[in-house]
Amino acid sequence: MKVIAQTSALQEALALAGSIVVARSPKPVLQCIKLVAEGDTLTLMATDQEVGCRYLLTSVKVEEPGEALIPADRLSGIVREAGSDEALTIETDGETVMVTGAGSRFKLYGYDPAEYPSVGEFSDGADFEIPSAVLGDMITKTVFATAKAHSHYAISGVLWEAEGTALQLVATDGHRLAQARGSLSAPATEAKSAIVPAKLMSMLQRSNRGDERLEIKIAGSQIFVRTMRMTLVSSLVQGNFPKYEDVIPTGSTATATIPTTEFQHRVRQAALLTNEESRGVQLSFAPGVVKISGRGPETGEAEAECAIGYSGDEMQIGFNPAFVIDAMKVIDTDEIALDLSASNKPALIRSGSDFLYVIMPVDLG
Amino acid sequence: MARINQLSKHLVNKIAAGEVIERPASVLKELVENALDAGATRIDVVIEDGGKALIQITDNGSGISHKDLPLAFAPHATSKLSNEDDLFAIQTMGFRGEALASIASISHASLHTRTAESDEGWEVIATGDSVSDPAPTACAPGTTIAIRDLFFNTPARRKFLKTTNTEFGHLTEQLLRIALPNPQVAFTLRHNGRLTMGLPASDSTRQRISDAFTRDLAEGLIPLVKRSTDTVCVQGLIATPSAARGSGKWQYIFLNGRYIRDRMLSHALREAYRGLVAPTKYPVCFLFVEVDPAEVDVNVHPTKIEVRFRESNHVYGELLATLRETLNRSNLAPEVHTPAHGDEITATGEPQSATDAPKEEQSVRQALADFFKTAPAPPPRLQFSDSPQQAPAPIPPAEFAGGLSGSRERSPFAPAPIPPVPSARDLERDEHVTLSPPPVIDTPVLQIHNSYIVSQTSDGMTIIDQHALHERLLYNEFRRRLASGRLESQAMLIPEPVRVSPDEEALLEEHVELLTQLGFAIEPFGPSTVAIQKYPSLLAERNVEMTAFLREVLDHVAEHDTPTAEQVLEDILAVMSCKAAVKAGAPLSDDEMRDLLYRARECDKASACPHGRPTTIQLSLKELEKNFHRT
Ligand SMILES: Nc1ncnc2c1ncn2[C@@H]1O[C@H](COP(=O)(O)OP(=O)(O)O)[C@@H](O)[C@H]1O
Ligand SMILES: [Mg+2]
């Protein structure tokens, strides 16, 4: 294999593909990136055996097609230290790889490319398409609510449900649930659903340029996402996602209209004196105002209030402030609606028409 | 000493007849107890071939008068008991009057004895069922009894004897059990011509322990705080949790000067050390329980090793309270003992200069007092702003009473009149608590391997296991929090199902109140499944995986036969604090480390995590100096 590529293009490709490669692996080949030169493209492949990536570089000159398997961190280092307008020549001699820049030469000991696990390829048509900006926004609004450590493995991922012209993402950690909806640019050929691991979600966020059209395909136990530059593939989370429809409350007895930014600020204030053993803040709703208070047994008490619109009986309810703040941070409307039914029942936060957030109360003891 | 009387038939029947001689050690026990009963202050034991060839006891006690000699080997002849009332107020070791007779019947026994008043000694030979007439002989005042060829005429028994070493092990242990509560009596033990144990007379139990075991063990012992009621007095020395052993052999419990085994008292020990030592470890202790003889029946077992208390709950409660109080008042962080160069152990124990030591202690105390007066404001992350900032109560003087050799005081464990006098006890109380200085807070702290905190103390350094210490702090904190109400709990949007056995489900149901108090709501959820509906926020906060949590708790609880609420609570809190505590491997900032150290100062049982593993190791300057050959 012999290929000449622009450093800047390689840098971008390696930043993304390299982030998949696990730094420490008992299998040295898993710390590598695979290069495939073919026609007039160079493909960089990386995988951690759960998530994989094929990154296409077209602004290259392939002098001799072929493959190479090179430790990712070494190649990244070489590319990082090269001048960004420099052209790098990558040439193989068996498993040895020569990288030559304008004023430097490297001889890298690689591995046999045939030993690298295969990275799934996007074949046939997409199930649906969505603008990367829309998906990116939906990911931001849900991925934070996934479970970090949970026996119920399914909820470590985000549930994707595509039907007709809409995609819906749902995430929960068992205490709160976030649901975001977005419009597809090409409708779903059939209803599809899958649980997508958080790692792929963050890869999507990282590669999001905001102006791309994403083709998505769910096939077997994998999901494929394709842009012009690359294909990401990930195995799906196996298991059953909880029946989330059942826990989204209906039939509230009170509704508050709350200014998003101020509310977040007030909840932060009220939480200042809580401690790790008692985090909860108490929200007292009354027409026109919500009082938010928090206390720590050794630290003291804090109280803040926020003007709101309110219809319903006065009500008190406790929340983990972090759960409230998490949602306020991602909500992009000026106001939210908060539906309540009882102090021991879940509360529902609505923002615009495409974001729902269910939050379970805390019993302050 | 009273004359030897033949027991009445009635009394004979009242005493459970039992075979008391099963091995050489049983002979030793009877004979040495006789010697003690005779008021001996020196007892020399000579053993040959694990006691199979010879067991010989020489004492300097009262001797037996010529007139009484014929009765000594007669069954049920004793000088120690003459009517029924006495049986319930037994003060002496022997009282059945059957030991000499039964030993003689299965061996070749010879007895040499002389009373102090008589110029002449007497010899009696007894074998099987024949007893010779006393013959005059020359001997020192006191008695020598030699038992040869034990079980010569009972081959079945003889066959059951173990190896020489094993039998000698039993003999040594038996002698120890008698020697420990009698430090005022000198003992020697010889085996096949070699001196294997020499215990000089002493007025201190600590010294006796030092002579019998090691000086290190003896020095590390903590005296029990004194409390007592009219009928029970518990005294003794206990080892720190870190010195706990893998077997209960090192738990010596004496009742009115007699070694006993008692499940109830052992249980009290286990309870007291619970959470301080691992469940598989046995704390080392030397407990001397004094009970009014009328309150205890020692006649339930032929070798008197088991007893029956009239008020067993009372004795149990007293022992437990005494142990707990002692442990609570002590700084239990284990000290590191590195191999000493220029071994300091000598037979008599070099007396620590009785004047220097307190002075050194004094200056440490002063330094500490000064430190606390000028203590800097605690770091801002402090959790307990209500912890006292002013100088703490003056640290009581270190304990020297009952110290090695040098002590002039009467040993607290020398046989005391019963019941003990309660006066003056309170004055002494503080002297019986060992306190080593707490870590100084503004000194450098260093985290090593992201797991241990090394810090300077006023007399050396400590090494702290960050996880274990934090676990202990949280455990205590949870306990404290519980006392002031229910814990905050997070409701689950999607309840978490956990598979349980019917027993476990019943257990959860039984302790539902406790669980509610802790912030749990766990409800039945289909066949052999429960669902966690709510759980303490602090676990939610730390992403504790609830299924695993509940399983772990249930597994712990299953180790008790019928767990009490307190045991269930302890198990839950222990697992909770373990899950919530900072993990080994987690990097900590200096402030976080100082915060931990600071909180440890205010914390009960800070020396051990709730599972009983130590949290802290102390290394004193002395120890360091020794290792660097600076002394
Ligand atoms: N070493 C001894 N010194 C003085 N008297 C002894 C000694 N050993 C035995 N005796 C006398 O012999 C008696 C019988 O001893 P023993 O059979 O052991 O019965 P007990 O000790 O139960 O009275 C004792 O009561 C005591 O008077
Ligand atoms: Mg006797």
Side-chain angles (χ1 to χ4, degrees):
Chain A
M1 180 192 88
K2 184 171 181 187
V3 63
I4 303 165
Q6 235 11 73
T7 307
S8 54
L10 278 173
Q11 276 171 345
E12 202 184 328
L14 280 170
L16 202 79
S19 71
I20 292 178
V21 177
V22 280
R24 278 175 210 291
S25 163
K27 282 169 89 182
V29 294
L30 287 180
Q31 298 174 30
C32 289
I33 278 206
K34 183 172 172 180
L35 307 186
V36 180
E38 214 176 11
D40 54 1
T41 59
L42 175 67
T43 307
L44 283 77
M45 290 186 212
T47 180
D48 66 357
Q49 295 189 294
E50 188 192 359
V51 178
C53 162
R54 292 166 166 265
Y55 200 102
L56 256 60
L57 286 179
T58 44
S59 53
V60 295
K61 186 161 174 236
V62 178
E63 302 211 325
E64 193 187 312
E67 299 181 349
L69 190 58
I70 317 173
D73 55 344
R74 303 296 172 190
L75 184 60
S76 299
I78 290 168
V79 169
R80 196 182 325 116
E81 295 301 328
S84 55
D85 49 359
E86 222 176 288
L88 292 177
T89 308
I90 304 172
E91 190 177 359
T92 55
D93 176 8
E95 291 175 13
T96 306
V97 183
M98 314 290 298
V99 182
T100 315
S104 54
R105 272 171 62 85
F106 305 87
K107 184 172 166 184
L108 277 160
Y109 302 117
Y111 297 88
D112 177 5
E115 282 179 29
Y116 204 64
S118 70
V119 179
E121 231 174 327
F122 198 122
S123 48
D124 308 331
D127 291 332
F128 56 89
E129 291 179 20
I130 191 166
S132 64
V134 174
L135 183 63
D137 182 46
M138 291 166 67
I139 293 173
T140 307
K141 285 177 172 164
T142 51
V143 76
F144 70 90
T146 53
K148 306 295 177 285
H150 211 279
S151 58
H152 195 163
Y153 185 56
I155 61 176
S156 68
V158 176
L159 176 70
W160 291 37
E161 288 184 323
E163 193 175 359
T165 57
L167 174 68
Q168 172 174 290
L169 266 47
V170 184
T172 181
D173 62 3
H175 308 116
R176 32 84 182 263
L177 177 145
Q179 184 197 68
R181 293 177 141 270
S183 303
L184 300 176
S185 43
T189 49
E190 56 178 315
K192 284 275 181 179
S193 100
I195 308 169
V196 179
K199 182 161 181 180
L200 180 74
M201 310 287 279
S202 67
M203 288 298 299
L204 285 168
Q205 287 300 65
R206 202 165 324 144
S207 65
N208 188 0
R209 284 189 183 162
D211 55 0
E212 288 179 302
R213 198 171 47 103
L214 303 179
E215 290 180 289
I216 290 160
K217 181 182 183 67
I218 294 165
S221 60
Q222 290 186 307
I223 180 168
F224 299 83
V225 182
R226 181 166 63 187
T227 70
M228 295 295 286
R229 298 170 289 146
M230 62 161 188
T231 305
L232 285 170
V233 55
S234 168
S235 40
L236 297 173
V237 175
Q238 299 302 312
N240 297 319
F241 203 83
K243 283 208 171 54
Y244 67 91
E245 302 91 339
D246 297 354
V247 303
I248 297 176
T250 50
S252 62
T253 59
T255 294
T257 316
I258 306 174
T260 314
T261 315
E262 191 190 348
F263 187 52
Q264 181 186 349
H265 178 62
R266 296 301 181 202
V267 172
R268 277 183 199 282
Q269 285 182 320
L272 283 176
L273 299 184
T274 60
N275 68 7
E276 33 184 27
E277 277 75 42
S278 57
R279 272 286 190 243
V281 293
Q282 172 104 335
L283 279 70
S284 307
F285 289 92
V289 68
V290 57
K291 283 202 175 74
I292 309 154
S293 62
R295 53 191 298 273
E298 287 88 18
T299 40
E301 296 175 19
E303 206 177 287
E305 54 181 60
C306 181
I308 57 168
Y310 189 72
S311 69
D313 290 341
E314 293 192 2
M315 191 173 318
Q316 297 205 328
I317 189 165
F319 288 126
N320 178 338
F323 291 173
V324 178
I325 294 165
D326 280 349
M328 296 307 118
K329 281 198 290 206
V330 301
I331 285 172
D332 44 21
T333 54
D334 293 341
E335 278 189 344
I336 56 159
L338 178 72
D339 297 335
L340 298 165
S341 55
S343 63
N344 59 354
K345 291 274 155 55
L348 177 67
I349 290 173
R350 290 175 284 132
S351 154
S353 58
D354 46 21
F355 180 69
L356 289 184
Y357 189 66
V358 185
I359 175 172
M360 232 19 215
V362 155
D363 180 346
L364 294 168
Chain B
M1 167 156 273
R3 294 282 105 123
I4 300 180
N5 305 314
Q6 195 92 42
L7 294 183
S8 78
K9 194 90 188 167
H10 178 63
L11 196 49
V12 170
N13 292 339
K14 188 153 180 182
I15 299 169
E19 193 53 88
V20 288
I21 308 301
E22 47 173 351
R23 57 170 17 130
S26 338
V27 173
L28 179 95
K29 175 174 187 288
E30 295 300 326
L31 300 185
V32 174
E33 285 182 352
N34 280 351
L36 284 178
D37 285 346
T41 59
R42 169 169 191 96
I43 298 174
D44 297 302
V45 180
V46 174
I47 303 294
E48 272 168 29
D49 196 14
K52 295 178 221 172
L54 174 69
I55 304 161
Q56 177 190 292
I57 280 89
T58 302
D59 68 59
N60 64 353
S62 66
I64 307 172
S65 69
H66 178 248
K67 185 170 134 291
D68 284 341
L69 261 182
L71 281 175
F73 285 107
H76 305 302
T78 175
S79 58
K80 299 164 192 170
L81 186 72
S82 53
N83 62 54
E84 245 176 278
D85 283 347
D86 279 357
L87 196 55
F88 294 102
I90 287 147
Q91 302 271 357
T92 53
M93 303 294 239
F95 58 85
R96 289 163 186 263
E98 64 187 292
L100 278 189
S102 46
I103 294 169
S105 69
I106 50 172
S107 70
H108 302 298
S110 72
L111 179 148
H112 295 247
T113 188
R114 185 187 132 192
T115 58
E117 309 82 56
S118 154
D119 303 335
E120 207 175 14
W122 298 94
E123 179 185 26
V124 176
I125 312 284
T127 285
D129 43 14
S130 77
V131 181
S132 75
D133 285 336
T137 182
C139 61
T143 306
T144 295
I145 298 187
I147 305 299
R148 289 173 211 279
D149 311 322
L150 185 64
F151 301 138
F152 80 99
N153 54 358
T154 50
R157 287 235 165 210
R158 195 164 176 93
K159 225 176 70 192
F160 276 109
L161 290 181
K162 299 280 185 321
T163 64
T164 298
N165 278 344
T166 305
E167 292 301 338
F168 185 68
H170 286 296
L171 286 161
T172 307
E173 178 62 25
Q174 184 57 62
L175 189 61
L176 267 179
R177 290 176 182 177
I178 300 174
L180 284 170
N182 292 292
Q184 75 290 351
V185 179
F187 289 89
T188 63
L189 175 63
R190 278 172 222 280
H191 190 212
N192 295 339
R194 207 167 56 85
L195 179 71
T196 63
M197 189 157 72
L199 307 176
S202 155
D203 54 7
S204 117
T205 300
R206 194 189 284 270
Q207 181 66 46
R208 167 73 21 123
I209 292 167
S210 172
D211 293 332
F213 302 101
T214 65
R215 186 175 164 139
D216 272 359
L217 173 72
E219 277 183 337
L221 295 172
I222 309 165
L224 290 184
V225 297
K226 291 194 185 176
R227 348 170 348 126
S228 78
T229 59
D230 287 350
T231 47
V232 186
C233 170
V234 182
Q235 300 185 86
L237 294 160
I238 58 177
T240 55
S242 58
R245 306 284 169 129
S247 101
K249 191 173 158 265
W250 298 70
Q251 300 187 334
Y252 287 93
I253 305 180
F254 300 93
L255 175 69
N256 296 345
R258 200 194 294 277
Y259 178 88
I260 58 160
R261 284 244 173 260
D262 189 89
R263 286 180 60 146
M264 180 192 75
L265 297 185
S266 303
H267 188 264
L269 256 169
R270 215 171 32 247
E271 277 301 300
Y273 277 86
R274 190 191 171 81
L276 289 171
V277 302
T280 52
K281 293 275 184 173
Y282 296 80
V284 174
C285 68
F286 303 89
L287 300 179
F288 300 84
V289 181
E290 305 283 356
V291 174
D292 183 334
E295 292 293 313
V296 55
D297 183 0
V298 296
N299 204 17
V300 294
H301 188 274
T303 66
K304 302 156 208 161
I305 199 167
E306 282 170 20
V307 300
R308 193 175 294 135
F309 292 100
R310 209 162 274 184
E311 300 273 356
S312 59
N313 286 342
H314 182 53
V315 179
Y316 177 90
E318 269 307 303
L319 177 61
L320 186 59
T322 305
L323 290 168
R324 281 200 169 140
E325 205 175 319
T326 306
L327 290 168
N328 267 339
R329 284 155 169 253
S330 307
N331 182 332
L332 298 174
E335 267 212 44
V336 169
H337 285 285
T338 48
H341 306 281
D343 198 355
E344 55 175 321
I345 301 168
T346 56
T348 46
E350 200 57 32
Q352 270 190 341
S353 164
T355 47
D356 283 5
K359 220 184 279 160
E360 183 189 312
E361 209 68 14
Q362 200 87 45
S363 66
V364 168
R365 234 162 29 233
Q366 190 54 50
L368 274 178
D370 291 349
F371 166 76
F372 284 117
K373 268 183 221 135
T374 56
R381 284 192 67 257
L382 281 182
Q383 304 283 331
F384 309 122
S385 48
D386 57 346
S387 18
Q389 290 298 297
Q390 68 280 64
I395 292 165
E399 175 261 343
F400 287 99
L404 299 184
S405 301
S407 167
R408 225 147 293 126
E409 250 175 282
R410 175 189 153 79
S411 156
F413 313 120
I418 301 166
V421 205
S423 65
R425 192 164 292 123
D426 292 336
L427 290 175
E428 279 173 35
R429 176 170 283 197
D430 278 348
E431 294 191 5
H432 291 269
V433 180
T434 340
L435 267 185
S436 74
V440 175
I441 300 305
D442 64 347
T443 52
V445 285
L446 169 71
Q447 190 186 29
I448 55 175
H449 295 281
N450 286 342
S451 300
Y452 301 97
I453 304 170
V454 180
S455 162
Q456 182 176 326
T457 61
S458 54
D459 76 341
M461 58 182 282
T462 56
I463 307 168
I464 289 167
D465 177 333
Q466 63 189 39
H467 173 71
L469 178 61
H470 195 210
E471 224 178 332
R472 163 55 75 188
L473 290 171
L474 289 175
Y475 178 89
N476 289 8
E477 170 64 7
F478 295 161
R479 277 213 159 240
R480 204 172 61 78
R481 281 284 313 284
L482 265 182
S484 63
R486 205 145 47 85
L487 292 189
E488 182 181 301
S489 78
Q490 170 71 54
M492 301 280 282
L493 185 58
I494 300 154
E496 183 133 352
V498 182
R499 292 193 69 81
V500 290
S501 70
D503 283 358
E504 291 168 339
E505 189 167 351
L507 184 100
L508 290 170
E509 208 166 297
E510 183 186 342
H511 296 287
V512 63
E513 219 165 284
L514 174 67
L515 290 165
T516 310
Q517 196 67 15
L518 282 163
F520 289 94
I522 301 174
E523 283 156 24
F525 192 75
S528 54
T529 305
V530 294
I532 304 172
Q533 305 276 6
K534 272 185 188 183
Y535 67 104
S537 304
L538 62 102
L539 294 179
E541 193 68 27
R542 292 173 169 89
N543 286 322
V544 173
E545 217 259 88
M546 282 317 292
T547 310
F549 174 87
L550 188 61
R551 283 265 37 111
E552 200 169 314
V553 167
L554 289 170
D555 290 349
H556 274 278
V557 173
E559 284 168 19
H560 312 290
D561 292 342
T562 41
T564 62
E566 170 62 23
Q567 284 167 333
V568 174
L569 173 66
E570 263 185 46
D571 286 339
I572 296 179
L573 290 183
V575 180
M576 261 168 74
S577 30
C578 179
K579 297 285 180 202
V582 48
K583 300 282 175 290
L588 297 178
S589 70
D590 281 11
D591 277 352
E592 287 170 320
M593 288 190 262
R594 293 211 174 90
D595 182 34
L596 266 182
L597 295 186
Y598 185 87
R599 288 159 67 188
R601 271 185 28 205
E602 308 291 328
C603 161
D604 265 5
K605 295 190 177 178
S607 66
C609 81
H611 308 296
R613 287 188 299 274
T615 61
T616 308
I617 293 175
Q618 309 257 13
L619 192 56
S620 66
L621 278 178
K622 245 184 160 168
E623 202 59 50
L624 288 172
E625 281 161 3
K626 206 160 76 191
N627 279 282
F628 288 115
H629 297 221
R630 291 179 74 106
T631 41

